[in-house]
Structure formats: C-alpha cells, structure tokens
Amino acid sequence: MAGGAREVLTLQLGHFAGFVGAHWWNQQDAALCAPTGAKEPPGELCPDVLYRTGRTPHGQETYTPRLILMDLKGSLSSLKQEGGLYRDRQLDAAIAWQGKLTTHREELYPQIPGLQDLLSAEGVLSSDGIWRVKSIPSGKGPPPLTTAAAPKPFTPTEDSIRVWSDFLRVHLHPRSICMIQKYNHDGEAGRLEAFGQGESILKEPRCLEDVEDRLHFYVEECDHLQGFQILCDLHNGFSGLGAKAAELLRDEYSGRGIITWGLLPGPYSRGDPLKNIYRLLNTALGLVHMSAHSSLVCPLSLGGSLGLRPEPPVTFPHLHYDPALPFHCGAILATALDTVTAPYRLRSSPVFMARLADMLNFSGKKVATTAATIPFPLAPGQSLPDALVQLGGAAAWTPLSACGSPSGTCCFAQSVVLRGLDRACHASQLAPGTPLPSPLHACATGEDVLAQYLQQQQPTVRSSAHLLLAPCMVAPPYPQLFSPGLSQHGLVVDGPPSGAGTWAVRVWERFYRIPS
C-alpha cells in the first residue's frame, strides 16, 4: 500500500453486523465522495487503512473495502456474492459438454428502485454541477471523464429494507463475501441460534480453509498491518463464530491488534422465553470467549440491558429512531463506530489498535464500554467552551453498550473523540476584558479546551483525546433520523427540517474502561 498506511482488515460476522457494516461502509464512501478543492490538504482520516487498491481482469482500477463478510444463505437479496466489479471469466467459458443440460435458476430479488443511482462507482457532484465518476483517492488513478445527470437524493423506506444488502452502496471485492450455506437466514428451520453452532462452523475443514485463504489474500498484500476489527453479532450463533475467528487471528497473527465489536439489535420482547435465554447465553459466552482471544472487546447496542429483564432503549435529544428497526439501529451504531475507531485511522500520529487496547485494559480485563453524544449540540455562534459548560459532566454521553448510565461509575481510562467542529469554534471568542464564564474559556486551542474539560470532570482518569475537524458524513440511504431542530450542517437551530442529502454530523464519543 502506498503512503505507509497501517492497514486494518475488517471481519463482519452476522446479519445485524451486516446492517451496521452496510451503514459503516456507506459512510466511508460518503467521506470519499465529499467534494474537496485541489489545493486542500489530505483529510485527517486515511482511507487506505480500511480500503485496498486493485485491478479487474479488464484493467479497471478499483478501490474496495479490505473486508471478509460472513452471513447466512438468503441474506444477500439482489447482491451477487462475487460482487459487481469483477467478472469471473470461467463463467464465460464455452461449455465443452455436448450432452443434455438442465439449468436451475433461482429468481432474483427485486432491487430497490433508485439505489443503483447511489452506487459509489457513479461518483460525486462537482462544484460545477456536473456528476462525475469518482476517481480513486490519493492519486491512485486518473479521474474518468464520463459525466451524467446528478441522481436525485434517495432514501429507501423502512418497508423496502429486508436485509442489509438492500441499501449497501459500495462495491465489494469477490473475496469479501463468504456465505454459510448450512444455515438459513429466513424461516424457522435451519437457523444459527446457539453459540456452539457458530463455533463448529470454523471447525469444519472446508470452511476453515476458505476463511484462511481469504485472510491470506488480504494480509499478504499489506505492508504495515496493524490488526483486525471484528464486527460480530452477539445475540445469536455468530457469537461462537466470532470467538473462533478471534482465536484463529490470535494464533496466526500474534502481536497484531484485535478489537471486537459485539453487536446487538434494539430492545427485545419477552414473547419467547427460550429465545431470550439463547440470547443471554450467546451474549455471555461470546463476551467471555472473545475477550480471551481479542485485544479488546466492546458490546454495542441501543437496548437498555444485556440481561433477561428488558429495559427501555436509549434516547438522543436530536435523533428520532425506531428501536425495532435494524435499519435505524445499525445507522446510529455505525455513526458511533466511525468516530470511536478514528484514533487508529488517523493519517498523522495515529494511536494504533494494540496501543489503544493496552491503554484501556485493566488487570487483564478486556471488556470496554462506549458512550456518545450524537450529534454534538452546538448552536450558531457558540464556541466549544460554551457547549461543554452547557453539557456538564458524564450525563453528556448516552451509553451505547447496554450497561446502564455511566454517571456514578469509576472510570479507569478513556479515549475521547470530538469531531466536526470548525477551527473558529475551538476556543472562546470573547472580547478582551470580558469576564470568563469558566476556566475553559481561558484556553487558547480546542485541544487545550478538551483536555481541561476532561481533567475537570475526571481528574484521576487516564485520557487520550482527539479533536478532528472533519465531521461524520452521512448521505442517502442513511435514514432521516435528525430532529427538525438540527440543520444539515449539524447546528442546533429552530426551523423546519432539512431535506434529503449529505449531512455533516458532529459526534462526541467516549470509549472507556471501568475497572470493576
């Protein structure tokens, strides 16, 4: 890889992980498509950490996620397992058999109207109003000269979303998608429900060999691999598969960072006690086994509890979502994930995965929690010190790990990321001689403001803080979750809701470790 990027390989295991992952990759694509001036410096986040360059058999340059994705039969909808960029020439070869042929063709799922207009290969709207095919970033290829009419903003309805592949807008490499044919996504029979079922998948020689081949394909082309991030369902049998995958990575790539994100959908109902017991056991076994083989494990969920007693879902002051829809829950968790992973994706002075995990580990306990403010509430004319004084302490963050409120807990270490604030807002703009409302208003830079705030709120906590200019970019098919009091540039305003399009979201994320 050019530029000396410290590469990360992503493993995406499970169907809800697919919802989070689809939104995650759509957000990476929205950031790649964001118009930038020719004289602007490269962005703060390096896309080469997550993406790889390649070339099709026909000579077309590609830029695709460095990703291995595993899901069950019936979960791809209209998405082809081999992707759409590469064509297998063996499929086009003439058939030498002269006897009778019988063709069994499975009917394709209908594709969502309008989604084709959003495929990343179709590019970005330039400043002159012309829709241009997106070039590979960092000068990895000449920009194509084709132009077309700009597609209309498009957001699929919740009723039209069946599976995560219905709204994925990025192209995947043929080595990315690995389908588990033994179990079904739909129906009551042949489901992957238990931890032991998932664990046994990677004990099968054929499946293990397939996964190892995919790992070697991606890893061997990396120059400076820093580690692996695993997005894995916790509530079903994929927790066992994720634990076995983490064990495989630890054995084969010792010394590399392995950060596992255990994902659970929104609140559950008490309707089926057996399913709830399965969910609890899968979650508990997954956390125990994944933490044994990972550098760090963090559960992510919008539900209020991981236990048998259901709790109300978490709420956000400026977000309106349906906690029963994976499409909504996955979008919020992907936005949080895009921010919390920023330290090891930085272009300059990154905090590598292994170092971040070491900082948050305590006495060998590797399970951390996450909380966030989405979006970070900044009113027009406010500075960062004004907003932080208004927010207050730990209650400023909404917990995202289904472990209760962080207020009153003893935090050991934390990684804090605040992104999306213009440099003009970083420090106070009070006129000379004006009495300072707080010590934060005396700080000269945004980094000093953030460090002073964290020192005030948690003086004994080991903190690593990052303040990024770039917001989290969300674009259709991201759902319309933002309240009418939020502008399309992320400011808290009074007025009618903004329309569809790309939103710049300010996110404040806290990734922390409680010692008990």
Side-chain angles (χ1 to χ4, degrees), residues 293-333:
H293 306 302
S294 303
S295 307
L296 198 68
V297 175
C298 179
L300 289 177
S301 173
L302 298 183
S305 170
L306 297 178
L308 283 176
R309 180 178 298 175
E311 299 287 343
V314 299
T315 58
F316 301 85
H318 299 287
L319 294 181
H320 303 302
Y321 74 101
D322 186 345
L325 292 178
F327 182 55
H328 284 188
C329 295
I332 296 173
L333 293 181

Side-chain angles (χ1 to χ4, degrees), residues 78-209:
S78 59
L79 178 66
K80 294 181 179 180
Q81 183 172 343
E82 66 275 9
L85 285 180
Y86 295 73
R87 289 191 62 188
D88 190 344
R89 292 188 174 182
Q90 293 180 357
L91 299 178
D92 298 330
I95 301 175
W97 174 253
Q98 299 297 322
K100 184 178 180 181
L101 294 176
T102 303
T103 301
H104 300 271
R105 186 183 301 275
E106 185 177 358
E107 186 175 350
L108 294 177
Y109 288 98
Q111 199 160 38
I112 298 177
L115 187 59
Q116 280 296 312
D117 294 334
L118 290 172
L119 286 177
S120 59
E122 293 201 10
V124 61
L125 186 65
S126 60
S127 58
D128 56 4
I130 299 177
W131 188 258
R132 300 187 185 279
V133 175
K134 184 184 66 181
S135 62
I136 297 175
S138 305
K140 293 184 173 61
L145 300 177
T146 56
T147 60
K152 297 179 180 179
F154 164 73
T155 302
T157 62
E158 284 73 15
D159 294 337
S160 66
I161 299 296
R162 295 178 55 257
V163 293
W164 56 264
S165 53
D166 284 338
F167 63 94
L168 178 69
R169 60 179 283 178
V170 303
H171 290 296
L172 301 181
H173 190 273
R175 296 273 188 145
S176 284
I177 301 178
C178 177
M179 299 306 298
I180 302 172
Q181 302 294 337
K182 185 177 180 180
Y183 297 100
N184 298 317
H185 167 64
D186 293 316
E188 294 298 323
R191 305 298 297 271
L192 184 61
E193 296 178 315
F195 179 91
Q197 290 176 299
E199 205 176 27
S200 66
I201 291 175
L202 282 185
K203 293 181 180 179
E204 299 175 3
R206 178 178 296 181
C207 183
L208 178 60
E209 182 181 1

Side-chain angles (χ1 to χ4, degrees), residues 20 44 58 65-66 135 155 232 235 263 275 282 292 456:
V20 177
E44 297 160 299
H58 307 289
R66 191 178 296 105
S135 62
T155 302
C232 179
H235 59 291
L263 305 171
K275 286 186 177 180
N282 291 331
Q456 286 180 358

Side-chain angles (χ1 to χ4, degrees), residues 398-478:
T398 299
L400 296 180
S401 294
C403 297
S405 172
S407 59
T409 58
C410 180
C411 179
F412 164 70
Q414 62 184 355
S415 171
V416 177
V417 180
L418 175 59
R419 62 185 301 186
L421 267 69
D422 294 334
R423 199 178 297 276
C425 303
H426 285 187
S428 175
Q429 302 297 323
L430 295 176
T434 305
L436 299 179
S438 75
L440 299 181
H441 290 76
C443 298
T445 66
E447 288 77 8
D448 292 341
V449 172
L450 193 54
Q452 176 78 6
Y453 173 82
L454 295 175
Q455 177 65 25
Q456 286 180 358
Q457 298 297 328
Q458 295 115 359
T460 62
V461 176
R462 184 183 180 188
S463 299
S464 171
H466 292 87
L467 183 60
L468 306 182
L469 298 175
C472 181
M473 304 302 296
V474 299
Y478 195 91

